[in-house]
Amino acid sequence: MADPTTEQIEKVITDSLISFGANAEDINRDAELAALDIDSLDLAELSQIIEEHFGVELTSADVAEITTVGDAIDLVAERA
Amino acid sequence: MSQARPQGAAALVTGGSRGIGAAIAGALAADGWPVAVNYRNGAADAAATVASIEASGGRAVALHGDVADPAVPALLIEAAAEALGGPVLALVNNAGVRADGLALSLSDEDWRIVLDTNLGSTYRLTRVALRAMIRARFGRVINIASVVGPRANAGQANYAASKAAVIAFTKTAAVEVARRGVTINAVAPGLIATGMTEDIPEAFREKVPAGRAGTPEEVAAAVAFLASERAGYITGSTVYVDGGLSA
């Protein structure tokens, strides 16, 4: 698979956050995941989704570094 | 509202070739689950369990693997999903061993084998299986515990420790995934008539309020219920199937 674009990564992450119950209008690069009510179980599932879509394995240490939506997008873009 | 069981959902029963495990595999198959029957030794028994399920119109496959080996759980979940054509959304952690002795004389090996098989495999299989379950928004994990653990039983300190820990693991794992429609419960059998309990003295049998040993099918009935859609609001619980022994 060719490297995914930032837009593709952003879409997968945004769709996932919405499926976990976040409000679409609250999601932007600077939004903090905690403020979107994304918890550790959601993040574990997000890691699985990212692995399935982009082949990027995120460790729990990686996930712990993610604070904002933008952090998640940048981390996947860097590793993909 | 309880979620419906997704189309194609499969079940895996560890230690399913005989005794309680075989009865559980049969009960799940009767409820329409395609079932993977895991076994460590006893290929003939596993084949007989599969044949019996197929003769009743169910679907089953036998899968070899020692669940105490840390590498096996992931392979087993994958093999079951592949063989049955759908993700494992019901996992019954039934495989268990005994290596009895007074606490003061247990060997490290007696301790290790019982903890690795009864507790370690439950944790590792659950960890792997939960991945598909949380994505499916449906899952059933049923851990076979024992009345021994919540209660003392001289000569089984290792077994009791493993089974009490299975109940503790069940409770905490259950609350972690409850929001995803995944339930995790324990079933604690008392004295059940199987090959594993043949050497239990008659005096113990007399302590059972029901006045008899239970059957593997009576344990399997509780497991099948917990695996069903009807049990969607039961999670983190331990169901005792013990003829009143722990009451």
Side-chain angles (χ1 to χ4, degrees):
Chain A
M1 188 174 93
D3 284 352
T5 64
T6 306
E7 287 71 28
Q8 286 170 325
I9 295 168
E10 194 174 326
K11 178 167 177 15
V12 166
I13 291 177
T14 302
D15 289 350
S16 301
L17 297 178
I18 292 168
S19 79
F20 302 150
N23 288 321
E25 60 267 30
D26 296 338
I27 300 173
N28 58 63
R29 281 192 58 90
D30 296 330
E32 293 194 2
L33 294 173
L36 297 170
D37 280 337
I38 298 302
D39 67 8
S40 57
L41 178 62
D42 298 326
L43 288 174
E45 187 173 346
L46 180 63
S47 300
Q48 277 187 57
I49 294 169
I50 286 169
E51 191 179 335
E52 286 166 16
H53 279 268
F54 307 119
V56 173
E57 265 186 69
L58 299 180
T59 65
S60 47
D62 294 329
V63 172
E65 294 294 311
I66 298 172
T67 304
T68 65
V69 174
D71 292 342
I73 294 167
D74 294 344
L75 182 62
V76 178
E78 185 187 305
R79 302 274 183 88
Chain B
M1 277 257 296
S2 293
Q3 290 271 35
R5 185 203 311 175
Q7 286 282 328
L12 167 64
V13 181
T14 67
S17 64
R18 53 186 171 238
I20 292 173
I24 291 169
L28 292 176
D31 278 355
W33 290 92
V35 182
V37 177
N38 156 255
Y39 66 98
R40 180 185 55 168
N41 43 42
D45 287 333
T49 301
V50 167
S52 159
I53 288 170
E54 288 174 341
S56 305
R59 276 180 67 206
V61 60
L63 293 178
H64 178 259
D66 179 358
V67 294
D69 177 343
V72 165
L75 299 173
L76 203 52
I77 296 278
E78 194 182 327
E82 196 174 308
L84 297 169
V88 172
L89 299 185
L91 166 66
V92 183
N93 286 307
N94 169 72
V97 294
R98 286 168 48 190
D100 298 350
L102 296 178
L104 63 80
S105 58
L106 281 176
S107 69
D108 283 351
E109 182 57 14
D110 292 337
W111 180 265
R112 188 195 63 76
I113 189 66
V114 171
L115 270 288
D116 280 0
T117 306
N118 300 2
L119 177 62
S121 73
T122 294
Y123 144 67
R124 290 192 186 91
L125 279 152
T126 303
R127 180 176 62 176
V128 178
L130 284 176
R131 293 172 64 90
M133 292 178 184
I134 64 168
R135 298 300 304 283
R137 303 294 190 267
F138 181 96
R140 298 285 188 265
V141 179
I142 297 127
N143 298 322
I144 305 305
S146 172
V147 292
V148 176
R151 304 172 44 114
N153 195 29
Q156 291 200 304
N158 49 357
Y159 187 84
S162 74
K163 294 299 189 177
V166 162
I167 291 173
F169 173 76
T170 298
K171 290 182 182 185
T172 290
V175 302
E176 289 176 357
V177 295
R179 288 187 296 117
R180 291 291 199 273
V182 177
T183 69
I184 308 183
N185 292 289
V187 168
L191 178 63
I192 306 298
T194 68
M196 199 170 169
T197 56
E198 272 168 1
D199 57 342
I200 289 177
E202 189 59 34
F204 188 85
R205 197 160 303 221
E206 287 164 8
K207 290 184 188 167
V208 180
R212 65 173 177 87
T215 66
E217 289 71 26
E218 287 172 317
V219 178
V223 174
F225 171 67
L226 290 171
S228 74
E229 294 170 7
R230 290 175 295 161
Y233 200 58
I234 302 174
T235 195
S237 290
T238 300
V239 176
Y240 289 85
V241 182
D242 67 354
L245 188 61
S246 58

